[in-house]
Amino acid sequence: MSDASINASTVTTQTRVNEASFGDYFSLLKPRVMSLVVFTALVGLLAAPVPVHPFVGFCAILFIAIGGGASGALNMWWDADIDKVMKRTKGRPIPSGKVEAGEAMALGLALSGLSVIMLGLATNWFAGAFLGFTIFFYVVVYTMWLKRSTPQNIVIGGAAGAFPPVIGWVAATGSMTLEPWLMFALTFMWTPPHFWALALFMRSDYDDAGVPMLTVTHGRRATRWHILVYTALLALLAVGTAFSGIGGPIYLTVAVVMNALFLRGAWQIARRTEDDSEADNYKVERSFFKLSLLYLFLHFGAILAEALLKPYGLGGWS
Amino acid sequence: MSLRKSHELHQRRFSRNLGVGLTLAAFIVIIFGLTIVKVSGTGLGLPTEEVQN
């Protein structure tokens, strides 16, 4: 056997172990985050008062999702160093050695350009530009700048995740009013309690990675009170939205019930000590985190229900 | 070395290649569909008056 064939077989064995599959490239797009983007953008699109051709609507949501995925890939490229330290993220394609960081950057940039241009062509250039701004905000403002420099990273960075319903609305109407910004504010105010609850029970992850989460910079007691304050402000906003153009009796019922449960959870978190939490392995914090997922899904689901029932004279207050 | 019909590399990367191929095919379908919707929606055919004249 020649040297060349030995080398070739060694390389083949190595690449077989670490070779990326199509699924690995797809997971660079953060499919779970993408599902939130798809759902909220869809609600924004359908709640808008201008009807959209179903195929154009489908394309708009698809390209918004691809844009969201592209920003996820760019986030993984930039954060590869801290992703390999954190338990939650070390299985991602770059830290696990399946995908090169440069490949993630190339994929992210290519899909960013494609999604912005295609959304602009499919709907309008205002929506395309807005998607471009959202990608810029998430990658440059949040990932590159704020995430590692301020404990308010989650608060301001949450704006990026809150833009999709506004983009969906703009894709349908070509303009903006108060209603899409209420949907934006709902996601924006929901993000901090959601992530701070996660930071409380993923104890050492952010410490190890040196990310200045509130739990690291201001302590866990302060984080618990921050969750309560943000949840209270969120409750006011969420219930108040019921009386806007996208609200109605269904939304009001959901908002009252879910905000009562969310406030109760935040109050329990604020009252607990670290010893209480460690004793039951952060049971309350974990259930608050799970509830937060249901919270957002049901609020946007209620907005969608109001919009879909409107043509039959059932949705909204009229 | 003689050329083999299917290299081991092709078998190993089959799923990746299939995924890329299907994605590109889907993209073509989307572009085609959007074109049809846009063309029919913006009335690029002859205006009624011209046809009547």
Side-chain angles (χ1 to χ4, degrees):
Chain A
M1 196 184 272
S2 68
D3 283 356
S5 63
I6 292 168
N7 289 342
S9 73
T10 314
V11 169
T12 307
T13 312
Q14 280 172 352
T15 45
R16 192 180 296 148
V17 171
N18 283 328
E19 192 156 285
S21 66
F22 186 76
D24 290 318
Y25 289 103
F26 184 70
S27 66
L28 282 175
L29 310 183
K30 297 192 178 180
R32 284 178 68 186
V33 178
M34 212 196 258
S35 63
L36 173 73
V37 169
V38 166
F39 182 58
T40 56
L42 180 71
V43 174
L45 187 97
L46 294 177
V50 180
V52 181
H53 189 285
F55 191 75
V56 174
F58 164 77
C59 290
I61 299 301
L62 179 69
F63 294 123
I64 294 170
I66 292 173
S71 57
L74 290 169
N75 169 276
M76 286 201 205
W77 156 64
W78 188 261
D79 277 348
D81 59 332
I82 54 175
D83 278 355
K84 70 179 174 197
V85 179
M86 297 203 288
K87 257 188 305 190
R88 188 170 66 87
T89 53
K90 68 181 178 189
R92 285 176 174 176
I94 300 174
S96 64
K98 288 180 178 168
V99 176
E100 296 281 325
E103 286 182 291
M105 183 193 70
L107 185 72
L109 287 176
L111 291 181
S112 296
L114 178 91
S115 60
V116 168
I117 290 170
M118 288 308 298
L119 183 65
L121 289 170
T123 59
N124 57 73
W125 288 107
F126 189 16
F130 214 130
L131 179 63
F133 173 74
T134 304
I135 296 169
F136 168 81
F137 194 92
Y138 184 70
V139 176
V140 178
V141 178
Y142 170 66
T143 304
M144 294 183 177
W145 178 29
L146 295 172
K147 187 171 177 180
R148 303 187 194 204
S149 62
T150 166
Q152 297 301 311
N153 48 16
I154 283 304
V155 180
I156 307 161
F163 281 128
V166 185
I167 305 172
W169 183 287
V170 172
T173 63
S175 62
M176 270 191 280
T177 52
L178 173 70
E179 286 81 5
W181 288 108
L182 286 172
M183 288 188 268
F184 167 88
L186 194 65
T187 318
F188 179 72
M189 291 300 295
W190 164 88
T191 307
H194 168 78
F195 271 105
W196 284 331
L198 179 74
L200 280 175
F201 66 79
M202 294 300 285
R203 277 196 65 96
S204 63
D205 252 17
Y206 292 105
D207 301 27
D208 297 344
V211 176
M213 282 296 272
L214 201 64
T215 43
V216 181
T217 59
H218 289 65
R220 307 172 71 80
R221 168 73 14 223
T223 305
R224 291 173 183 279
W225 283 105
H226 269 73
I227 289 176
L228 180 62
V229 171
Y230 271 84
T231 305
L233 293 171
L234 172 65
L236 288 174
L237 175 87
V239 175
T241 301
F243 305 100
S244 71
I246 51 173
I250 300 169
Y251 176 89
L252 181 63
T253 310
V254 168
V256 168
V257 173
M258 289 311 294
N259 282 283
L261 290 172
F262 213 42
L263 270 171
R264 192 184 67 150
W267 176 246
Q268 286 172 336
I269 288 178
R271 294 287 305 275
R272 300 188 104 202
T273 62
E274 280 307 304
D275 292 340
D276 294 337
S277 297
E278 275 173 22
D280 62 7
N281 194 24
Y282 294 86
K283 190 180 168 197
V284 173
E285 289 81 356
R286 285 175 198 275
S287 65
F288 182 83
F289 180 77
K290 278 183 194 157
L291 180 69
S292 73
L293 296 170
L294 187 67
Y295 177 99
L296 199 69
F297 176 75
L298 288 181
H299 274 79
F300 274 88
I303 293 171
L304 183 63
E306 297 284 2
L308 294 178
L309 289 171
K310 249 178 200 165
Y312 306 102
L314 295 169
W317 292 109
S318 53
Chain B
M1 191 178 117
S2 62
L3 282 172
R4 279 185 292 168
K5 196 176 177 185
S6 178
H7 191 273
E8 178 268 340
L9 183 78
H10 296 122
Q11 290 162 357
R12 185 153 38 93
R13 291 194 175 167
F14 179 75
S15 73
R16 195 202 290 189
N17 294 339
L18 183 69
V20 172
L22 290 174
T23 306
L24 289 173
F27 187 64
I28 292 166
V29 171
I30 284 166
I31 297 290
F32 181 71
L34 265 179
T35 308
I36 297 296
V37 170
K38 291 279 177 186
V39 168
S40 53
T42 50
L44 286 179
L46 285 175
T48 321
E49 300 89 77
E50 283 184 34
V51 174
Q52 284 167 348
N53 291 337

